[in-house]
Amino acid sequence: MTDKIAKKRSEKSPSEKAKANADKQRRFRERQKEAGKKLVRGYVTPEAKACYDEIREKTDWTDSEAMSNAMRLMYAAYKCGQIKLLNEWLRKNNR
């Protein structure tokens, strides 16, 4: 009997769970901002953000087009066995 009472008391209400989750997400966003990262479609480093901005500037692609084409490029490199070559080029060109 006491186990059931203790279990009921330890359970959180849905609103308490939602508040706890929102607080956890807020703290995560604050830590990412403090680390100098910016939310694009995930938190990226300042270097990655600079590359992203350069691509958008040179191509005039929208955010969706840039993400779609980046995924296509990575998939094509993967299918052709060129991931290593792509990574080497990125490192060589400080990207």
Side-chain angles (χ1 to χ4, degrees):
M1 182 80 172
T2 58
D3 291 336
K4 288 182 182 179
I5 294 171
K7 186 177 180 183
K8 280 189 177 182
R9 288 183 183 163
S10 66
E11 291 180 4
K12 292 183 178 179
S13 70
S15 62
E16 289 174 333
K17 288 180 184 178
K19 182 172 178 359
N21 189 41
D23 289 340
K24 185 177 179 182
Q25 290 177 0
R26 181 184 46 76
R27 288 190 306 269
F28 174 77
R29 287 191 301 270
E30 288 172 357
R31 282 194 311 269
Q32 295 303 313
K33 287 179 185 177
E34 288 170 5
K37 296 182 180 178
K38 181 173 172 145
L39 179 64
V40 176
R41 286 201 184 207
Y43 286 95
V44 296
T45 62
E47 296 84 12
K49 177 68 171 123
C51 289
Y52 175 79
D53 291 338
E54 183 181 345
I55 289 169
R56 293 210 37 215
E57 184 179 297
K58 287 182 178 181
T59 61
D60 290 326
W61 288 339
T62 63
D63 179 58
S64 295
E65 290 171 329
M67 296 308 294
S68 177
N69 289 331
M71 287 187 277
R72 289 178 183 178
L73 175 65
M74 288 301 298
Y75 183 72
Y78 163 74
K79 288 303 267 185
C80 296
Q82 300 297 315
I83 292 288
K84 182 178 179 184
L85 180 66
L86 178 59
N87 283 333
E88 288 172 3
W89 183 89
L90 291 168
R91 273 192 223 101
K92 178 181 167 190
N93 291 284
N94 296 323
R95 301 291 182 185

